[in-house]
Amino acid sequence: MELVTACNTDSSMEIASVYQLLIENAMDAFFIAGPNGSILEANRAACDMFGYTEEEMKRIGWDKIIDYTAETLERLRAERKRTGKIKGELTGIRKNGKYFPVSFSSVILSGTSDEDQVVSVVIRDITERKQLEAELHANEQRFRALVENSMDMIMQVNAEREITYVSPATCRIMGMDAAELTGKRMKDLMHEEDVQRLLPGFERFLSEPGTTISSEYRVKIKDGSYLWVEGSVTNLLHLKGLESLVINQRDISEKKQREQELLKSNERFHYAAKATNDAIWDWDVESGTILRIGDGLKNLFGYDPVVASANPNFWTDSIHPDDLSRVLEKRNKVLYHSPNLYWDDEYRVVKADGKYAYIYDKGYIIRNPEGKPIRVIGATQNVSPRREAEALLLELNNRLKRRAEELAASNIELERFAYVASHDLQEPLRMVSSFLQLFKKKYHNQIDETADQYIHFAIDGAERMRKLILDLLEYSRVGSNREGFEETDLNKLLSEMVAFFNRLISDTGAVINIGPMPEIWANRTQISQLFQNLVGNAIKYSGDKTPEISISYTDEPEKYIFHVQDNGIGIDPVNFNKIFVIFQRLHSKRDYSGTGIGLAICKKIVEKHGGTIWVESEPGKGSRFSFSISKTL
């Protein structure tokens, strides 16, 4: 390329050569253009940029390498004519037909009209810059979309700490429009306590460009109340064009409320642990840490809960070696091989004084949605006193059992002795009675009245002795007969009893009323004897009245209660217990016969049937004997 200029001196020639060299090696396209859009000169960069040789450039002109309308051309020429130079952006056309963006500048070198003007044109390919600008614009659009649609509250604050921008979410959450917030100082929106707490750190932060700080604080909303937010502030005051603090705030009111609830819950848990004597523990299964709470561990076992919590092996180290494997196996089975929500066990642990104590350990298992245990909260009780009491009770039970066996054996011997003794006593008694009767019969006319009376007394005493022996024999049989229980129809049994008393009923005019009776599981013979004794007494102790007797029952869930009511002479309440004791009589033999064994036999029969017997009475107003028979024999 040759410069179109005149050089009259050697110095000018040297300068021209330097300019020639600079233009030829420039990175930008350099043109010398003549009138009517002709190209006079083009450097190497121009040829490379558009794809033409210099000779081709000179032939084709501007309209082949620059895309512009006549209107644009006129505007550019007018501006250059007015100022002597122009610059701007146009679209270039490569030889292969591709379009690309360019920036240009043009200066008039000579001439005053379009027909004689010579101008210089410098063109730069700005494709990369345009791409970057497009990307930047797209990024700005995306950023704006994110900010505008973010759920977080985003603000910009300038160096004077005034709010210059607020996102739509900020307006929505705080209940204010942008105009109300813009221009305010951030500290005016914050709770005074939080301002005082955060201000020192914030002042240091302002002197550290590019850093970010985060904190939790309260901001005032439209209605005057405060909202807890988590704020993140980035210091971009050093960035030219931005010079702002960017604040991103998130509403954490629900989180704070949960924290307060958790704090109250933990406080309740802490005081509950203080109130109980148990050793309370909280095991984080995933981390393996166990927090020991309250005074129970210290009071029961002598260990400091803080020291114990710091030792991850405290629990396993404390278990008696003989119990350890069993306890671990059971615990792991419940935790990892069952859906159970509770684990409990009893085992021995060593106390701080070296002695072992029996404990009862129970924990509630918290599982994740997959059923994996993540936390166990439990309590430990010292059950050594209970175990000692159980051991003592077992020993006492064993002693009682041995004593009961000894008593049972003794009772069997006593009952056997009573049976044998009463049986053997009857033989000589029969002999005495028989010979006295024979003596009376043979010598009836040979003895006086006094001797006859003596013989009568002897025979009567022998007869009463025989009756006493028979009753004693019957009393012993009640205790010895352990078998013979069967379904017993009391309606039939009581009908037979009435038939048994037919003669006595006929002699006394007694009236016996019997209501419907149940079937019971009982020893039929003994129950028959029980009713005979009670009804017989009711007839015997009727006094001057005609005996009236009623028999009834009530049905309860676990027992029957039977009642024998009479209209006889009655019993003084002070004698209620006495009448059921063997050989105890309330009347003389002259007034009422008997041995004092009948009601004792009744009591023994009732007790054998799992029941009790009692009486309700007043002198002269009759008596009501009641007894229960168990349904679960």
Side-chain angles (χ1 to χ4, degrees), residues 7 149-150 167-168 182 245 303 346 363 387 389 434 436 575 595 625:
C7 299
N149 295 284
S150 173
S167 66
T182 303
L245 301 175
Y303 293 109
E346 281 195 19
R387 294 293 292 258
S434 297
L436 283 172
N575 295 318
T595 60
F625 282 85

Side-chain angles (χ1 to χ4, degrees), residues 579-592:
I579 61 175
F580 295 107
V581 180
I582 191 170
F583 299 133
Q584 294 295 319
R585 295 175 51 85
L586 302 182
H587 306 282
S588 68
K589 298 182 181 66
R590 291 190 302 273
D591 295 332
Y592 295 99

Side-chain angles (χ1 to χ4, degrees), residues 215-230:
S215 56
E216 294 179 356
Y217 50 89
R218 289 158 288 182
V219 295
K220 186 185 292 185
I221 60 177
K222 181 76 172 181
D223 62 8
S225 62
Y226 285 90
L227 189 74
W228 272 102
V229 298
E230 180 181 28

Side-chain angles (χ1 to χ4, degrees), residues 323-395:
D323 297 341
L324 181 59
S325 59
R326 175 187 62 79
V327 172
L328 291 178
E329 182 180 355
K330 180 179 178 181
R331 185 197 68 177
N332 292 338
K333 183 177 180 181
V334 172
L335 287 180
Y336 303 108
H337 303 288
S338 79
N340 294 352
L341 295 179
Y342 290 94
W343 163 82
D344 69 326
D345 205 351
E346 281 195 19
Y347 51 93
R348 292 165 290 177
V349 298
V350 65
K351 299 193 295 183
D353 61 8
K355 297 178 181 179
Y356 278 93
Y358 276 96
I359 67 167
Y360 175 66
D361 220 356
K362 183 174 183 179
Y364 176 70
I365 304 168
I366 300 173
R367 300 180 182 273
N368 64 14
E370 291 73 37
K372 180 182 177 183
I374 57 175
R375 187 179 176 193
V376 185
I377 300 173
T380 304
Q381 298 176 355
N382 186 349
V383 294
S384 295
R386 190 200 76 194
R387 294 293 292 258
E388 292 170 1
E390 287 175 352
L392 180 60
L393 183 61
L394 180 62
E395 175 61 24

Side-chain angles (χ1 to χ4, degrees), residues 198-213:
L198 299 175
L199 188 59
F202 186 74
E203 293 295 341
R204 291 192 300 272
F205 163 72
L206 291 177
S207 63
E208 300 172 350
T211 58
T212 299
I213 58 170

Side-chain angles (χ1 to χ4, degrees), residues 81 108 110-118:
K81 184 176 182 180
I108 299 174
S110 63
T112 57
S113 65
D114 293 341
E115 287 76 16
D116 63 354
Q117 273 187 349
V118 176

